[in-house]
Amino acid sequence: MIKLDSETLRKLQMTELEMLKEVDRICRKYNIKYSLDGGTLLGAIRHDGFIPWDDDADVVMLRPEYKRFYHACKRELDTERFFLQDFRTDENYRWGYSKMRRNNTIFLREGQEHGNWNQSVFIDIFVYDHVPDHYIFRRLHLFLCFCIRKGLYSEVGKKNAPTKLMRDWYALLNKIPRNRWIKLLEIIADITDRKRTELVRHMTYPYRKECRYGLPRECFDEYIEKDFEGYRFKIFKNYDLYLMRLYGDYGKLPPIEKRKIHPVSEIKLID
């Protein structure tokens, strides 16, 4: 495992900032709604930039906005520097969300060395779908999300799960082709996105118990701009509600022992 020193971490963050700026450029040109998400949104509010120990970056869109973004990237994306990765552009990619990758770099997460998908430096682009309002269907939706997440993760889990029983279970799940899980995700998204509901979620993200079904759809109605590393990016106007549901007391810094960086086995950045 490679431990990132402060200089390398900052260089990684600046590479991710480069990709955030490209996402923002395309979204502004085509009036596509997006927000900084997760730790990146938290960093924007609490630090006016990256959380000092954060090694990744996230943005989020509702599925109709992502569809427009995907097609806009076919015309607009600077492909000399960047690659938009999802199940259509990388036949071996196994995550349920998209990534933008920085060409001519390497960012190999520990435990994914055997993966044959593009593993350059990235930012996550989370795509949110509606969650059923009905009591029973909402719980069924949660179960199906769990199945899809585990099925897609099985390529990694069959080698890295902590026990032999779990590795064998993932190996069994891994016999189901990737495209079957993707097709199931698309079918569910097509059904749930036919009308507005109270909650939305990314279908392959394991939320904490307090928001396990999803996050408020109303957060995606209005956006404002926020300083982030000297640039202006879009965020939810009601970011307080979003972050409170996602993290709880998000203004409080975590203890030092919980300020962790993802373990990396190989990294190469642009000079």
Side-chain angles (χ1 to χ4, degrees):
M1 182 182 76
I2 298 174
K3 186 175 181 179
L4 301 183
D5 57 40
S6 58
E7 181 180 352
T8 303
L9 176 58
R10 188 58 177 165
K11 193 173 180 180
L12 173 64
Q13 290 175 342
M14 291 301 100
T15 304
E16 293 163 350
L17 178 63
E18 184 184 15
M19 289 182 278
L20 288 174
K21 290 163 62 178
E22 179 72 353
V23 170
D24 178 72
R25 179 185 71 82
I26 294 172
C27 287
R28 287 180 187 272
K29 182 170 182 177
Y30 290 90
N31 195 29
I32 296 169
K33 297 176 181 178
Y34 81 94
S35 173
L36 299 182
D37 191 30
T40 312
L41 176 59
L42 179 56
I45 300 303
R46 203 167 62 189
H47 306 275
D48 290 327
F50 285 99
I51 296 173
W53 57 89
D54 201 2
D55 64 345
D56 61 10
D58 310 308
V59 300
V60 62
M61 306 174 189
L62 292 173
R63 187 166 296 276
E65 302 300 314
Y66 178 73
K67 288 179 178 179
R68 295 176 58 221
F69 178 76
Y70 176 83
H71 290 293
C73 282
K74 291 183 177 181
R75 301 185 293 271
E76 289 289 334
L77 187 65
D78 181 354
T79 54
E80 290 189 5
R81 293 189 294 159
F82 308 115
F83 170 60
L84 180 63
Q85 183 182 43
D86 71 7
F87 65 92
R88 291 165 290 190
T89 61
D90 185 339
E91 64 181 8
N92 298 309
Y93 184 62
R94 295 196 59 93
W95 312 120
Y97 47 91
S98 298
K99 296 179 185 286
M100 183 172 287
R101 300 276 188 175
R102 181 57 166 93
N103 297 336
N104 303 311
T105 66
I106 298 173
F107 189 72
L108 190 56
R109 287 267 176 89
E110 190 174 48
Q112 299 183 25
E113 295 86 353
H114 67 287
N116 55 357
W117 51 87
N118 184 314
Q119 300 207 55
S120 49
V121 175
F122 65 91
I123 63 171
D124 291 323
I125 303 175
F126 291 112
V127 182
Y128 273 40
D129 294 289
H130 288 81
V131 176
D133 289 329
H134 190 278
Y135 177 88
I136 294 176
F137 291 152
R138 181 176 286 185
R139 282 148 184 81
L140 175 61
H141 185 268
L142 180 66
F143 173 71
L144 292 173
C145 289
F146 171 83
C147 293
I148 294 169
R149 183 172 77 250
K150 295 301 182 181
L152 291 174
Y153 180 75
S154 61
E155 180 67 24
V156 175
K158 69 180 183 179
K159 292 183 177 293
N160 297 319
T163 67
K164 184 179 185 304
L165 180 62
M166 290 184 67
R167 290 193 294 272
D168 290 344
W169 180 64
Y170 277 121
L172 183 63
L173 277 180
N174 194 239
K175 294 184 181 299
I176 301 174
R178 179 206 74 155
N179 287 349
R180 297 285 180 87
W181 296 113
I182 295 295
K183 185 63 176 178
L184 177 59
L185 186 153
E186 290 180 318
I187 291 171
I188 295 171
D190 181 61
I191 293 172
T192 59
D193 286 338
R194 292 174 185 175
K195 67 176 184 178
R196 178 174 175 136
T197 57
E198 178 187 357
L199 302 177
V200 291
R201 64 168 291 157
H202 169 60
M203 280 197 274
T204 61
Y205 184 84
Y207 295 91
R208 70 192 190 109
K209 182 179 179 180
E210 290 79 359
C211 59
R212 62 186 179 276
Y213 296 113
L215 297 163
R217 169 63 175 82
E218 64 184 272
C219 294
F220 289 77
D221 288 338
E222 295 184 83
Y223 300 79
I224 58 174
E225 293 192 357
K226 180 69 176 67
D227 291 330
F228 184 92
E229 299 292 346
Y231 296 90
R232 303 280 286 179
F233 293 100
K234 299 287 187 177
I235 68 168
F236 300 120
K237 183 177 182 179
N238 198 353
Y239 63 83
D240 182 66
L241 174 61
Y242 188 86
L243 290 174
M244 281 293 292
R245 294 286 182 88
L246 194 58
Y247 295 115
D249 185 7
Y250 64 87
K252 184 178 179 180
L253 290 174
I256 294 177
E257 63 271 16
K258 291 189 176 182
R259 302 176 189 180
K260 296 181 179 180
I261 297 175
H262 293 99
V264 178
S265 59
E266 183 179 358
I267 184 168
K268 173 191 170 185
L269 302 174
I270 301 295
D271 290 332

